[in-house]
Amino acid sequence: METQADYDDFAHVYNKYWAGYSIRVVPILERLALNDYPQGAAILDLCCGTGQLASELTERGYKVAGVDSSEQMLTYARINAPKATFHCADVRDFELPKKFDIVFSTYDSLNHMLTLDDLGNVFRNVRRQLETGGVFVFDMNLESGFLSRWVGSFNIRADDTVVAAESKYDKNDKLATLNMTIFAQHKEDKALWRRNDVMLTQRAYKVDEVIATLTTVGFAGIEVFDARRDFELREDGRAFFTAKKL
């Protein structure tokens, strides 16, 4: 059985094998924002994926909402974080009825914005959703990160899932691609397997470009941190940004 553009299987793979990154960065989020806000503060998890970070935050007593463009991802998120609320929306064009003290976006989600105009639209939406004095924290892959980590192939082999993946980075157009072929066993008929081909694309931005775009939409107090140097996260070429709505 073969399907195209079906993200259900990818959501399953992401939930099972990749979503742990969100938990790894919680100590960083504590240093950058969480320690300054008491329990009950309102947090928006932008590009929330399958909800592992939202789960951790709600267990700490925060009021959490999540936004993601994949309804399949959100199906898992609602199971993983039942105390949070989730909205399916394009982060370039969304508006929620309440404002937040903190907005997080982790796991290089914003690298999926392929133009500075799109990135600026996200930043503008985030600023609108923040309370005055609120903080925006996000991480992004830089070019050095793509050159060191988005190269070569890997695979995942499990009883019910097989993933063959290959990634590459083009220095000329600043685009990184991850091509995955996913074979997932049918839940009811174990003799059937479904094939799903997925391609993810990210763009590398310069730190100065990100800062300028944040400034243009009205953010202030912008700071940039290196994941390895400042937080001992074992990844080269990942930057964390903080910005405030004053």
Side-chain angles (χ1 to χ4, degrees), residues 3-232:
T3 59
Q4 295 180 345
D6 179 359
Y7 280 77
D8 190 36
D9 292 331
F10 174 62
H12 166 73
V13 171
Y14 182 92
N15 181 61
K16 189 172 182 179
Y17 296 103
W18 290 344
Y21 172 85
S22 298
I23 305 304
R24 288 170 52 206
V25 299
V26 167
I28 298 174
L29 303 182
E30 288 176 337
R31 289 177 57 181
L32 296 180
L34 286 176
N35 289 341
D36 295 328
Y37 289 86
Q39 289 186 353
I43 299 176
L44 176 62
D45 184 5
L46 195 68
C47 306
C48 62
T50 52
Q52 279 78 4
L53 178 58
S55 175
E56 178 72 17
L57 296 173
T58 55
E59 291 304 310
R60 291 170 179 239
Y62 295 102
K63 297 178 180 178
V64 181
V67 170
D68 200 279
S69 62
S70 169
E71 188 58 57
Q72 290 83 3
M73 290 282 198
L74 294 180
T75 297
Y76 287 97
R78 293 184 178 104
I79 295 170
N80 293 328
K83 297 178 183 179
T85 59
F86 295 98
H87 308 269
C88 188
D90 188 326
V91 295
R92 296 168 297 183
D93 182 23
F94 78 97
E95 185 171 1
L96 301 181
K98 64 174 292 183
K99 293 191 175 183
F100 300 87
D101 301 299
I102 307 172
V103 176
F104 289 136
S105 186
T106 60
Y107 212 173
D108 48 84
S109 295
L110 297 186
N111 285 103
H112 289 286
M113 301 298 108
L114 301 184
T115 68
L116 279 174
D117 284 343
D118 283 346
L119 193 62
N121 287 335
V122 176
F123 290 167
R124 191 172 292 107
N125 293 337
V126 168
R127 188 177 183 277
R128 184 182 60 240
Q129 295 293 159
L130 277 170
E131 298 279 8
T132 300
V135 62
F136 179 29
V137 180
F138 61 97
D139 67 348
M140 297 189 80
N141 280 326
L142 306 179
E143 183 169 65
S144 59
F146 287 120
L147 289 171
S148 65
R149 289 183 277 108
W150 283 61
V151 291
S153 60
F154 65 91
N155 62 77
I156 298 170
R157 291 180 290 178
D159 290 341
D160 62 349
T161 307
V162 177
V163 181
E166 182 177 12
S167 59
K168 62 181 180 179
Y169 177 68
D170 189 317
K171 293 180 65 175
N172 293 321
D173 59 18
K174 307 299 182 186
L175 290 179
T177 54
L178 174 62
N179 288 285
M180 292 179 289
T181 297
I182 303 170
F183 292 93
Q185 191 176 50
H186 195 277
K187 292 180 180 179
E188 297 177 358
D189 188 341
K190 304 301 183 183
L192 293 178
W193 288 71
R194 181 172 58 248
R195 173 176 172 166
N196 180 15
D197 294 300
V198 177
M199 183 176 74
L200 304 180
T201 306
Q202 293 193 4
R203 178 176 291 279
Y205 292 102
K206 297 178 180 178
V207 169
D208 289 347
E209 290 179 312
V210 178
I211 293 174
T213 306
L214 286 166
T215 302
T216 297
V217 305
F219 277 105
I222 301 165
E223 295 185 89
V224 186
F225 303 88
D226 181 86
R228 180 180 287 274
R229 183 185 65 245
D230 295 314
F231 304 123
E232 299 182 352

